[in-house]
Amino acid sequence: MGTELGVYKTCVSARSTSKEILKKAQDGGIVTQLFAYALDEGIIDGAIVAGPGPEPWRPMPMVALTSEELMASRGTRYNLSPNVALIKEVTRSYGLDKVGIVGTPCQMQAVRKGQLYPAGLRDVPDKIALAIGIFCMENFPYQSIKQLVEDHAGMALPAVKKMEIGKGKFWVYGERGQVVTLPLKVTHKYEQPGCHVCLDYVANLADVSTGSVGSPDGWSTVFVRSKKGDDIWSKAMAAGCFETKPIEQVKPGLELVSKLANEKISKNQKTVESRATFGVNKALRNPYVSPK
Amino acid sequence: MAEKTKKEDKPVADKITVGHVHMSGCTGCLVSLADNYGGLLTILDRYADLVYGLTLADVRHIPKMDVALVEGSVCIQDKLAVEEIKQTREKAAVVVAVGGCACYGNITRFGRGGQPNQPQHESYLPIGDLIKVDVYIPGCAPTPQLIRNVCVMAYLLLKGTKEQKDLATAFLTPLMQLADRGTTACGCDLIYDVINQGLCMGCGSCTASCPVRAITMEYGKPNVNREMCIKCGACYAQCPRSFFNVDVVNQYEGIMEAIDGALK
Ligand code: SF4
Ligand code: SF4
Ligand code: SF4
C-alpha cells in the first residue's frame, strides 16, 4: 500500500529527557513533554488532554493550562475520552487563542474536518496550534474495560497501576507488583463497534503523532508531519527536550508499525465494504462516500 | 463633508456575482458573513460583486446572479416570500442555503401561528422543500469560516483553472450531498444515522458544535436533550462520521494555506 503511515517529514524513536515526566508516562513521555515545552514557550496557551475522571481508569477531557495539570493526564486509559467535545469551549470561556489537543486518529480527523468544514465551530479553525495524535488500534467503552479488568483479569480497578496492549496481549499491572495478561482474543468482543470502520492507525492527520509500537520499552515512535509540527518539534529538540534515535536503528522499527497499520486498515476496509451488502438489497451508511 | 470617493474605473473583470436573499431569517447568517472582517472586503475586492442584499445595498428586485446565499425559511402563507424564493431559483446559477433555517427550518420548525398581526402565518418550510438547492452551509449561526470557504471555492469553481475547479468540486461535494440528503435535521440525526448505524466513535465533535449545549457525552457517547434541540443540523454536519471525504481532508494543510493566501 505505502500510504498506511500517512504523510510525514521525519520519523524517530524518542523519549523525554525529563525524569519527572518519564516516571508516570506510558512510553517515552512525548505528549506531556511536547505540550509542556509548547506551553512554556507560549506556542500554545492550553491543551485539551484526557484528565482523571470520576471513576478509576475513566478519563475525562480537561483543559491543562500549566505543566502540573499536564502531569495529571499521563498514561493511557483504554476507554473513550471525547476530547473534541471541548474544542470550541476552550476558545470561549477559557479564552485560548492557541489551542493544543491530543487525541486518537479519529479525533485528529474530527479536528481537521472541523477546520475545513466548521458547521458549529466558529473561530476554531484558525486556533488549532498543535494537534498531537496517538497511535490507536481500537478503543473500548468504559464498561468493557471494567469487565476485562474485574471479571477477566480478576483485579480491582483502583488497584491497577498501568494497562498496556502490546506483544499480542492485554497487560494489567497491579500497584503491588502483580501482572495479569489476557490474550487479545478475549478483548475483541468488547471493542467499540465504531472502531471497526476506522482506516487510520498512526494519526495521519496530526501535526505530530506518537505511539509505542516500533520502539523499545520506555521509548516512543514519533512521526513529525505538518509544517507546524516540524517547526515545534525542531525547536523542542534544540531546547533539549528529547533524546532520539534514528528509527532505522531501533528494533522492531517501522516495519512492525507498517505491518500493524496495514492489518488494521485492510481488516476495517473489508468491514466498510461489507456494510454495502449488510441487509437484503439494503446497505448500511458509508461515511467515506456520503452523509446520506 | 464632501469626501472624495473614487469609483473603480476598471472593475476586476473576473468577479462572480453574489446576492444575499433574506427569507424568514434573523440576519445572523449575514452577520456571520460580515464577521470575516477584512476577509469579506478582500472577497468583495477581488472575487465577488455583491449585486443584491437588502440589508446592505439599494437594489430592490432579485437580479441575475452566479451565487445566491439564501438565509431563512419560507412562510408559505406569505405570497411574496414564496414568489421570491422561486425567483431566486430562476435567477441564480448556484443556490446556497446558508444556515440552519434555510437548510432545515431550524427554529421556524416550531412556528405554528396564532400571533398578531398575522396569526395565519403558521407554516414555515426550509427552502429545499420549494426549490432545488445546490449547497448547504448548516449551523445556527453558520460559521464565518465555512461561509468564507464556500465563497472562495465557488469562485474557483466558476473562474478557476481546471485543477482549481477539481479541488472546488471535491470540496463542495459533501455540502451538495447534504443538500440532497434532505430538509430535516435534529440531534436525532446522531442517533439514527451515526449511533444506530454503528459509526459513532465517541469523539465529541457533536457536543462541541451544538449551539444550545443540548448534547452531553455520557460514557463516551452523545446523549441528546431533544427538548433543548433547535434543529439546526450543526451536530450531524460536524460529526466526522456523517461525511468524511478523505481525499479532501487529507489535504487540509494545503487547502487552508490556499484559502489564507487567497484572502491575504
Ligand atoms: S480505532 Fe479509530 S475510531 Fe477507534 S478510537 Fe482508535 S482512532 Fe478512533
Ligand atoms: S442537537 Fe444541537 S447541534 Fe444538533 S440539531 Fe439540535 S440544536 Fe443543532
Ligand atoms: S461527532 Fe463523534 S461522538 Fe458525536 S456522533 Fe459523531 S462520532 Fe459520535
Side-chain angles (χ1 to χ4, degrees):
Chain A
M1 247 198 289
T3 55
E4 72 278 7
L5 302 181
V7 176
Y8 59 93
K9 298 185 198 295
T10 46
C11 178
V12 289
S13 192
R15 72 174 176 195
S16 162
T17 48
S18 154
K19 293 224 161 61
E20 196 48 41
I21 288 180
L22 286 180
K23 236 185 247 169
K24 279 199 168 168
Q26 184 79 5
D27 302 300
I30 306 298
V31 179
T32 310
Q33 174 69 76
L34 199 54
F35 275 153
Y37 170 78
L39 263 179
D40 288 346
E41 294 301 308
I43 295 167
I44 58 173
D45 35 35
I48 304 170
V49 296
E55 290 164 272
W57 290 94
R58 182 176 154 205
M60 202 49 121
M62 72 168 221
V63 184
L65 301 169
T66 62
S67 304
E68 293 72 54
E69 285 171 337
L70 277 177
M71 291 294 198
S73 69
R74 285 170 300 176
T76 301
R77 261 78 39 92
Y78 287 100
N79 64 103
L80 310 170
S81 178
N83 287 4
V84 188
L86 285 173
I87 199 82
K88 186 164 72 181
E89 195 59 34
V90 282
T91 69
R92 303 299 200 272
S93 56
Y94 290 85
L96 306 195
D97 287 318
K98 292 171 277 180
V99 177
I101 180 167
V102 60
T104 48
C106 58
Q107 293 177 336
M108 296 297 110
Q109 294 180 337
V111 169
R112 299 317 180 194
K113 175 176 171 179
Q115 287 182 284
L116 285 182
Y117 297 99
L121 301 177
R122 177 177 170 154
D123 294 353
V124 171
D126 306 329
K127 294 192 174 178
I128 307 295
L130 175 58
I132 307 182
I134 40 185
F135 304 176
C136 178
M137 192 53 93
E138 73 276 305
N139 206 345
F140 300 89
Y142 182 69
Q143 292 78 0
S144 292
I145 287 301
K146 204 170 155 75
Q147 222 163 325
L148 282 167
V149 171
E150 292 185 349
D151 300 350
H152 290 270
M155 304 236 307
L157 270 173
V160 172
K161 189 169 77 183
K162 179 172 179 168
M163 294 182 213
E164 198 170 19
I165 294 178
K167 306 182 183 81
K169 294 198 177 84
F170 184 77
W171 302 70
V172 190
Y173 301 88
E175 290 283 4
R176 285 176 297 168
Q178 71 278 45
V179 184
V180 182
T181 60
L182 302 172
L184 278 190
K185 207 167 52 174
V186 174
T187 67
H188 290 328
K189 76 169 180 189
Y190 294 105
E191 291 164 8
Q192 167 178 241
C195 293
H196 297 153
V197 298
C198 172
L199 307 175
D200 185 350
Y201 176 52
V202 288
N204 296 353
L205 294 179
D207 292 309
V208 173
S209 41
T210 180
S212 61
V213 174
S215 291
D217 285 349
W219 289 71
S220 300
T221 302
V222 176
F223 292 96
V224 180
R225 300 186 180 280
S226 66
K227 278 186 200 153
K228 263 185 195 161
D230 193 34
D231 181 47
I232 298 169
W233 182 260
S234 330
K235 286 181 182 150
M237 284 296 293
C241 291
F242 296 105
E243 256 183 277
T244 62
K245 295 177 187 169
I247 193 72
E248 299 74 25
Q249 288 170 24
V250 303
K251 291 270 173 234
L254 271 190
E255 209 175 309
L256 181 65
V257 187
S258 273
K259 179 172 164 270
L260 293 181
N262 276 323
E263 278 174 18
K264 171 176 178 177
I265 296 165
S266 45
K267 179 167 82 61
N268 290 348
Q269 188 69 53
K270 278 202 192 96
T271 307
V272 171
E273 281 157 22
S274 70
R275 293 171 62 90
T277 53
F278 196 82
V280 180
N281 296 326
K282 295 273 182 187
L284 295 178
R285 207 168 61 72
N286 181 346
Y288 304 110
V289 174
S290 99
K292 221 177 186 169
Chain B
M1 281 307 293
E3 279 224 356
K4 248 204 186 152
T5 54
K6 188 165 161 278
K7 202 165 180 225
E8 269 184 330
D9 39 22
K10 186 177 166 292
V12 183
D14 253 8
K15 284 184 181 177
I16 59 173
T17 53
V18 176
H20 171 254
V21 180
H22 198 297
M23 304 304 296
S24 285
C26 73
T27 332
C29 297
L30 183 64
V31 172
S32 270
L33 169 67
D35 279 351
N36 279 296
Y37 302 103
L40 174 62
L41 299 180
T42 308
I43 289 176
L44 294 176
D45 270 346
R46 294 189 208 149
Y47 308 112
D49 274 327
L50 187 73
V51 293
Y52 177 74
L54 291 177
T55 314
L56 299 170
D58 189 20
V59 176
R60 306 291 172 94
H61 300 286
I62 300 174
K64 261 184 99 67
M65 52 194 151
D66 293 322
V67 179
L69 303 171
V70 185
E71 83 167 86
S73 61
V74 187
C75 175
I76 60 173
Q77 286 90 17
D78 177 348
K79 274 198 188 128
L80 184 61
V82 175
E83 197 44 47
E84 280 190 341
I85 195 64
K86 289 182 182 168
Q87 268 182 28
T88 301
R89 181 66 276 182
E90 276 165 30
K91 301 273 175 105
V94 179
V95 172
V96 184
V98 185
C101 295
C103 298
Y104 298 117
N106 205 23
I107 198 75
T108 67
R109 283 288 184 192
F110 299 93
R112 53 187 168 83
Q115 288 178 321
N117 57 355
Q118 300 285 354
Q120 80 287 12
H121 280 190
E122 65 178 22
S123 314
Y124 295 81
L125 289 173
I127 65 170
D129 283 345
L130 290 155
I131 61 168
K132 158 102 175 81
V133 178
D134 302 300
V135 175
Y136 270 14
I137 302 182
C140 177
T143 65
Q145 292 80 19
L146 186 53
I147 304 176
R148 170 198 72 189
N149 294 357
V150 169
C151 286
V152 172
M153 289 298 171
Y155 173 80
L156 294 180
L157 184 70
L158 297 171
K159 304 283 177 184
T161 60
K162 160 95 177 63
E163 213 173 281
Q164 289 170 326
K165 280 191 173 126
D166 290 347
L167 172 69
T169 308
F171 181 91
L172 294 170
T173 296
L175 303 176
M176 304 195 300
Q177 292 172 331
L178 278 179
D180 269 349
R181 178 172 166 269
T183 56
T184 58
C186 177
C188 294
D189 294 344
L190 303 174
I191 300 175
Y192 301 143
D193 285 352
V194 189
I195 303 174
N196 291 174
Q197 286 280 324
L199 293 170
C200 175
M201 45 60 182
C203 64
S205 303
C206 47
T207 294
S209 65
C210 179
V212 296
R213 297 180 198 266
I215 308 169
T216 51
M217 297 298 289
E218 308 294 342
Y219 285 102
K221 296 287 142 130
N223 184 56
V224 182
N225 183 334
R226 295 184 301 283
E227 279 293 299
M228 283 171 76
C229 170
I230 56 165
K231 304 189 185 288
C232 72
C235 52
Y236 185 69
Q238 200 66 74
C239 170
R241 292 285 169 87
S242 62
F243 67 85
F244 192 77
N245 45 343
V246 189
D247 53 330
V248 172
V249 188
N250 275 358
Q251 305 176 55
Y252 78 92
E253 223 184 340
I255 296 177
M256 287 178 59
E257 275 176 14
I259 292 173
D260 279 352
L263 297 182
K264 266 220 177 84

